[in-house]
Amino acid sequence: MRNMEEILGKLVTWTQKNSMIRAVIMTSSRANPNAPVDLLSDYDIELVVTEMTPFRGSDAWITQFGGIMTEYREDHERSITRLVLFEDGVRIDFQVYPVEQLQEILSMPLLPEELDIGYRVLLDKDGLTASMKQPQHTGFITDKPSREDYHSRLTAFWWDITYVAKSLWRDELFYAKYMLDTVIRIEKLMPMVEWYIGVNGDWKVNPGKNGRWFKRYLDERTWAELEQTYAGASHEDNWRALFAMTDLFRKLAVELGEKLGYDYPHTRDRRVIAYMEKIQQLEPDAQQF
């Protein structure tokens, strides 16, 4: 796999010769001193251009960086996205947009999150970025939830979790896994973990997209408790994971509520747990609850 020096050297040499490209900016983890970087970290590259058509019409310009293994494309009215994984494992995410769009960004009172998290100007032929504000590396830091947001998340959790119990009793594994691992884990638990990390990090922490850096910020015991919320395909294992999920969610939500001065609905919690435990004990052909 090519190293960073080779990749950026190739990029700068090409862009210097291309008159349509006026500036090149690298963003994201490789430009953020607080982000972990390894050999699989991608290169997020923004090309600021005078003319979009040549980049939109053909992807031939990408092949000079290597053989393409797979690619994801998006075309927007004012920009294009090309996410490219090359055969040697290098990944470059290209964002191409016009000079006018960069000028609009420069006129904003604050940098957009994707630049504020960190950027590095690799090339600037016209001094376009001279007035660009310095990154504060605060992009994507978790915000403190309002009392309404906190209680809304709790209400949704203790309502939706009952679907998992009912689906397990009905032997509807696929739906049970969907509810537990998508609706509950992603929509309810993940924001709670982010808030928990935020409150314990004085709201100055970026936990990473979709839980990417949760292990980095959670203490060893809490991470082990999170691991217990995962399950295989067996009926018993999914019941175990279900109650591990409620235990972890309660722990995080109670501590968060105490630190923010928000009340936790202990009565509702106990009632829902009792309801699900009763479902767990039902015979498969039960006619009475």
Side-chain angles (χ1 to χ4, degrees):
M1 179 185 288
R2 290 162 290 170
N3 60 33
M4 186 170 174
E5 183 178 350
E6 292 176 283
I7 296 297
L8 298 187
K10 175 73 173 179
L11 178 69
V12 170
T13 298
W14 167 63
T15 53
Q16 284 176 331
K17 297 177 180 178
N18 190 314
S19 61
M20 289 180 291
I21 301 173
R22 308 314 300 171
V24 183
I25 304 170
M26 182 168 67
T27 66
S28 196
S29 58
R30 288 189 180 270
N32 182 350
N34 302 315
V37 175
D38 56 36
L39 80 166
L40 297 181
S41 297
D42 55 340
Y43 297 82
D44 292 271
I45 302 298
E46 298 186 358
L47 303 179
V48 185
V49 302
T50 56
E51 176 59 52
M52 293 287 298
T53 303
F55 299 92
R56 193 188 301 274
S58 169
D59 284 354
W61 57 276
I62 297 175
T63 61
Q64 66 184 299
F65 294 101
I68 298 174
M69 181 191 304
T70 186
E71 176 189 8
Y72 178 79
R73 302 160 49 99
E74 283 187 359
D75 284 82
H76 307 284
E77 183 177 352
R78 298 187 63 197
S79 65
I80 68 170
T81 298
R82 298 291 184 266
L83 313 181
V84 189
L85 183 59
F86 295 94
E87 291 175 349
D88 67 348
V90 169
R91 172 175 162 173
I92 306 179
D93 292 353
F94 292 101
Q95 302 289 334
V96 186
Y97 56 87
V99 169
E100 293 77 15
Q101 188 166 324
L102 177 60
Q103 292 170 333
E104 291 173 9
I105 292 172
L106 295 176
S107 67
M108 295 178 180
L110 298 173
L111 284 175
E113 286 187 326
E114 60 272 16
L115 288 174
D116 188 61
I117 197 173
Y119 71 83
R120 175 181 166 190
V121 177
L122 302 179
L123 180 70
D124 187 349
K125 298 176 180 178
D126 308 308
L128 295 171
T129 63
S131 62
M132 185 177 289
K133 301 171 181 65
Q134 289 300 306
Q136 300 301 309
H137 309 294
T138 58
F140 304 106
I141 286 178
T142 301
D143 293 326
K144 181 189 303 184
S146 66
R147 187 182 301 272
E148 182 180 356
D149 289 338
Y150 173 78
H151 284 292
S152 175
R153 192 75 57 187
L154 296 180
T155 298
F157 177 88
W158 288 112
W159 177 262
D160 286 338
I161 199 74
T162 62
Y163 287 97
V164 183
K166 290 191 291 184
S167 299
L168 290 175
W169 178 72
R170 291 167 175 159
D171 197 24
E172 298 170 343
L173 177 65
F174 195 94
Y175 186 67
K177 298 291 278 187
Y178 163 74
M179 289 302 299
L180 184 64
D181 289 334
T182 300
V183 175
I184 301 299
R185 185 179 308 284
I186 303 303
E187 298 178 12
K188 280 50 175 202
L189 179 65
M190 185 170 72
M192 188 60 66
V193 177
E194 291 172 343
W195 289 340
Y196 178 83
I197 291 173
V199 76
N200 286 299
D202 197 26
W203 306 106
K204 296 178 181 178
V205 177
N206 171 12
K209 185 177 180 181
N210 295 328
R212 181 179 176 187
W213 297 328
F214 279 0
K215 189 173 183 178
R216 181 182 182 186
Y217 291 110
L218 291 174
D219 61 87
E220 187 174 337
R221 179 177 178 179
T222 303
W223 177 256
E225 291 169 344
L226 191 151
E227 289 181 324
Q228 290 302 306
T229 67
Y230 288 89
S234 77
H235 191 74
E236 295 76 13
D237 200 27
N238 279 277
W239 274 110
R240 177 202 55 75
L242 166 61
F243 288 113
M245 179 74 77
T246 60
D247 289 344
L248 177 60
F249 187 86
R250 178 188 305 110
K251 168 186 169 176
L252 302 180
V254 168
E255 182 173 328
L256 175 66
E258 289 175 348
K259 291 184 175 181
L260 296 180
Y262 301 162
D263 296 330
Y264 180 83
H266 290 283
T267 299
R268 178 183 301 174
D269 179 329
R270 289 192 294 268
R271 288 173 176 172
V272 174
I273 291 295
Y275 169 75
M276 294 194 297
E277 289 176 340
K278 190 170 182 179
I279 291 176
Q280 185 182 24
Q281 298 305 316
L282 287 175
E283 295 295 328
D285 57 351
Q287 298 298 311
Q288 297 290 331
F289 189 72

